[in-house]
Amino acid sequence: MSYRELLAGDHQVLPILYPVSDEEVEALSGEVTFPGDLTELWLEIGCGSFASGKDGLKLTDFQNRLIGPDEIVELKSDDAFPDIDPFDVGTPFFETADLYFLVLTADGAVYHQGGTYISKNLPEFIAKVLDEPLFWLEMLPD
């Protein structure tokens, strides 16, 4: 199933998405190697917020934001992480809160930057976050 087909389903979350072009990914890929699954996701649906419902009201105060390639490059060049550098675990792709991320690992799984397993792959993650925007929060240790 494609990401567009997934978004067309009846879900709790109605994401606010912005396009990402092949040219943008290509131009930035010299600075950071983007996972193929993430590039595919960007080119198909873009990047943006997964925090609002169909009625336009916010479902969460968390960021819940699929970040774009330019932001990943910026994060890689910054030394902004006070606790855990998400690049130590994988490629940050989903901002949960200010400077806290979910990451995509080399094997395609999704983890919290602290190392907690979230989902077996990106399509499963997107499907879950569309139905329950904070499902990932329930998986983190107390």
Side-chain angles (χ1 to χ4, degrees), residues 25-34:
V25 173
E26 186 77 25
L28 296 170
S29 65
E31 299 180 52
V32 173
T33 302
F34 302 118

Side-chain angles (χ1 to χ4, degrees), residues 2 10 12 14 21 25 31 36 38-39 44 49 67 70 76 82 96-97 107 114 116 126 134 137-138:
S2 75
D10 186 27
Q12 181 178 1
L14 180 62
S21 71
V25 173
E31 299 180 52
L38 186 54
T39 298
E44 193 170 334
S49 174
I67 62 175
D70 58 330
K76 185 73 171 169
T96 60
D107 67 355
T116 302
I126 295 296
L134 295 179
L137 185 61
E138 298 165 4

Side-chain angles (χ1 to χ4, degrees), residues 9-135:
D10 186 27
H11 303 286
Q12 181 178 1
V13 173
L14 180 62
I16 300 168
L17 299 170
Y18 304 94
V20 173
S21 71
D22 190 38
E23 293 80 15
E24 181 181 5
V25 173
E26 186 77 25
L28 296 170
S29 65
E31 299 180 52
V32 173
T33 302
F34 302 118
D37 293 348
L38 186 54
T39 298
E40 180 183 322
L41 173 66
W42 284 330
L43 296 178
E44 193 170 334
I45 66 169
C47 60
S49 174
F50 284 74
S52 298
K54 296 177 211 173
D55 55 7
L57 297 176
K58 284 195 81 154
L59 298 171
T60 175
D61 288 332
F62 282 89
Q63 297 287 341
N64 258 37
R65 193 171 63 86
L66 177 63
I67 62 175
D70 58 330
E71 292 175 278
I72 293 174
V73 169
E74 186 178 323
L75 288 170
K76 185 73 171 169
S77 66
D78 280 352
D79 193 22
F81 302 104
D83 299 325
I84 303 167
D85 186 338
F87 288 97
D88 290 344
V89 179
T91 302
F93 76 96
F94 196 82
E95 186 175 24
T96 60
D98 193 31
L99 293 178
Y100 287 93
F101 296 89
L102 300 182
V103 300
L104 194 60
T105 60
D107 67 355
V110 176
Y111 283 80
H112 183 269
Q113 72 185 47
T116 302
Y117 173 83
I118 301 297
S119 179
K120 70 179 177 181
N121 58 40
L122 204 46
E124 179 182 270
F125 171 79
I126 295 296
K128 286 181 178 180
V129 82
L130 284 169
D131 288 329
E132 189 179 339
L134 295 179
F135 87 92

